[in-house]
Amino acid sequence: MMKTRVNGGGERRVSTRWIILLCLASFGLGMLFTDRFPDLNRRADSNWQMISQQRKEQELHVVSEDCTTKKKLGQDKDVMGEVTRTHEALQSLDKTISTLQMELAVSRSSRELTGSNGSPVITASSEQKKKAFIVIGINTAFSSRKRRDSVRDTWMPQGEKLKELEREKGIVIRFMIGHSATANSILDRAIDSEEEQHNDFLRLDHVEGYHELSAKTKIFFSTAVTLWDAEFYVKVDDDVHVNLGMLAATLSRHRSKPRVYIGCMKSGPVLSNKNVKYHEPEYWKFGEEGNKYFRHATGQIYAISKDLATFISINQPILHKYANEDVSLGAWFIGLEVEHIDDRNMCCGTPPDCEWKAQAGNVCVASFDWSCSGICKSVERIKDVHARCGEGDGAVWGALF
């Protein structure tokens, strides 16, 4: 027996039998709980194994991603190179497609053009399109017979020489003129007679008139594109002196450029006063009064490349016409990727200006007087300009371009 002390100092005896029973009860309860919950133990072990497996998989995934990332970084330069080469190839293809589309549109429009009397005009469909380097259109009027003769007597070859210039040098020169408002009038018959004599006209489907120069310019380029496959198209007035060899040499320097607009660039004031000669009725479109026009080539002479002439031909019906022809042309190009080339040799003055330059070895492309928008009294003076400022009649034949 065991003795235990209780409160108050007395002793209490505990039987050994009770101690043994208590130990047996504890052992039984332990066994009972161990047998009752084996699933809980197994689940705990299973969960731990799953967590361990997931951790391993995550670690493997991270390592895999890291390897893939390194591999991609190693390939980035090659991929960017391929992208750059593909982009350049697409740009080249776009240019080719654009050119083909323009040529197709010109071909279609040429078949659809008809004259004012309902008969078809001369187009590439009825006459084989000829290759050329430059097509020069000399703007003239019914009343300008003497001016035309003065040009023929100076810088423009005649007869067989004119044909030879086309064959050997690819330079085509024509006086461009439309028709009168009355069909088969005396004015038209006079031009027909002159054409039989000289064979140097390009007849346009256009009613002549001073205030219709913008329309005439559009029709000239459209018609020229349908007849000649040229690298450049030039418009010049019939009171301007031109050195053909220098013109060809100048344009040849820009052959590799797709869209060029060459001339003496200017930006004159927009004239809102109705009483002045070059009044612009739509002056308000250019901003407040006192503003200037955007940059454009002066109208006496300018050249444009094939793509730009083709653009005019395709879009002719929707190109807006301003009061001044040179302003209209500049407006048609202002929203395009066009290189404006300001060449002051295309607007030299008459002697002594062009004469001094020629003596210094800097022969001018074209000469005229700004005060007259051409050579003042050109019929009387152009021969003198040709003698003093000309490059020599044989220059164009020996020029390399």
Side-chain angles (χ1 to χ4, degrees):
M1 298 194 49
M2 293 183 62
K3 294 181 180 180
T4 60
R5 191 175 294 277
V6 296
N7 291 339
E11 292 181 356
R12 184 177 177 181
R13 294 179 179 177
V14 179
S15 175
T16 303
R17 184 177 56 182
W18 288 107
I19 293 174
I20 294 172
L21 289 173
L22 181 61
C23 290
L24 290 172
S26 298
F27 179 77
L29 288 172
M31 292 298 293
L32 176 64
F33 276 97
T34 301
D35 293 339
R36 190 180 183 96
F37 300 106
D39 290 342
L40 291 177
N41 295 331
R42 285 194 298 270
R43 288 176 186 172
D45 291 340
S46 177
N47 289 340
W48 175 255
Q49 291 176 357
M50 289 176 64
I51 291 170
S52 299
Q53 183 66 24
Q54 287 176 355
R55 284 182 178 176
K56 290 180 180 178
E57 290 178 355
Q58 288 176 353
E59 290 174 358
L60 289 173
H61 182 66
V62 169
V63 171
S64 176
E65 282 187 342
D66 185 57
C67 292
T68 303
T69 301
K70 289 180 179 179
K71 186 177 180 180
K72 287 182 178 178
L73 288 174
Q75 294 174 346
D76 277 349
K77 291 184 179 180
D78 292 338
V79 172
M80 290 306 297
E82 287 296 330
V83 170
T84 301
R85 287 190 290 272
T86 302
H87 180 66
E88 291 174 351
L90 288 174
Q91 283 185 323
S92 177
L93 182 61
D94 285 342
K95 289 181 180 179
T96 302
I97 292 173
S98 177
T99 300
L100 291 173
Q101 286 176 334
M102 287 192 295
E103 291 179 353
L104 178 60
V106 171
S107 178
R108 287 174 176 172
S109 63
S110 69
R111 290 196 298 268
E112 295 170 359
L113 288 173
T114 55
S116 56
N117 60 356
S119 60
V121 297
I122 299 174
T123 66
S125 59
S126 58
E127 181 177 285
Q128 186 177 3
K129 199 171 183 179
K130 300 175 182 177
K131 287 281 187 180
F133 174 35
I134 308 170
V135 174
I136 302 172
I138 306 174
N139 185 36
T140 192
F142 289 121
S143 59
S144 299
R145 172 63 189 262
K146 290 183 179 180
R147 282 189 181 181
R148 291 192 291 275
D149 286 339
S150 69
V151 169
R152 292 177 179 123
D153 291 339
T154 53
W155 62 267
M156 179 181 178
Q158 286 297 291
E160 189 57 35
K161 283 289 185 182
L162 186 64
K163 295 178 181 178
E164 187 179 350
L165 188 65
E166 293 183 26
R167 289 194 306 268
E168 296 188 8
K169 295 296 184 179
I171 299 176
V172 178
I173 308 175
R174 297 287 188 275
F175 288 104
M176 58 166 170
I177 194 167
H179 301 271
S180 64
T182 304
N184 198 32
S185 69
I186 188 173
L187 298 174
D188 292 311
R189 291 198 298 272
I191 295 296
D192 293 339
S193 175
E194 193 175 342
E195 166 67 0
E196 290 179 4
Q197 181 181 356
H198 296 283
N199 194 29
D200 57 6
F201 278 95
L202 175 62
R203 300 302 296 272
L204 306 175
D205 183 25
H206 167 73
V207 177
E208 285 292 320
Y210 179 78
H211 296 291
E212 296 297 329
L213 291 179
S214 294
K216 186 176 183 179
T217 299
K218 285 200 296 184
I219 295 171
F220 161 64
F221 286 121
S222 299
T223 305
V225 164
T226 63
L227 293 176
W228 293 281
D229 180 15
E231 296 182 54
F232 294 96
Y233 298 83
V234 176
K235 177 262 178 182
V236 60
D237 288 338
D238 61 6
D239 56 354
V240 172
H241 181 269
V242 178
N243 284 317
L244 293 173
M246 282 305 301
L247 174 62
T250 297
L251 296 184
S252 67
R253 294 198 295 268
H254 305 289
R255 271 177 148 166
S256 62
K257 303 172 183 177
R259 291 172 298 278
V260 290
Y261 174 29
I262 308 169
C264 292
M265 299 294 165
K266 65 175 184 175
S267 180
V270 181
L271 302 177
S272 58
N273 188 340
K274 294 182 179 180
N275 298 319
V276 298
K277 182 178 182 180
Y278 299 111
H279 163 62
E280 177 58 72
E282 296 181 279
Y283 63 90
W284 58 274
K285 287 187 177 180
F286 298 90
E288 303 301 325
E289 290 188 28
N291 278 358
K292 291 185 176 182
Y293 287 115
F294 32 72
R295 195 69 60 185
H296 60 279
T298 184
Q300 285 85 351
I301 181 173
Y302 50 75
I304 62 176
S305 57
K306 175 182 176 179
D307 283 0
L308 295 183
T310 305
F311 170 81
I312 293 173
S313 178
I314 294 172
N315 297 284
Q316 180 189 168
I318 59 172
L319 294 177
H320 185 69
K321 303 184 296 293
Y322 290 101
N324 300 299
E325 166 247 345
D326 52 358
V327 171
S328 294
L329 187 76
W332 300 337
F333 300 152
I334 201 66
L336 305 179
E337 287 292 339
V338 174
E339 183 177 353
H340 290 59
I341 297 175
D342 183 23
D343 191 330
R344 309 315 290 185
N345 262 359
M346 294 183 72
C347 54
C348 296
T350 53
D353 179 35
C354 58
E355 187 176 21
W356 290 340
K357 291 179 178 178
Q359 290 172 356
N362 188 23
V363 178
C364 292
V365 173
S367 300
F368 57 88
D369 299 307
W370 285 102
S371 59
C372 298
S373 296
I375 298 175
C376 298
K377 298 181 179 179
S378 65
V379 173
E380 294 82 6
R381 296 183 57 228
I382 195 170
K383 287 185 178 181
D384 179 60
V385 174
H386 183 66
R388 298 168 63 181
C389 299
E391 61 189 351
D393 293 340
V396 67
W397 304 102
L400 299 176
F401 46 83

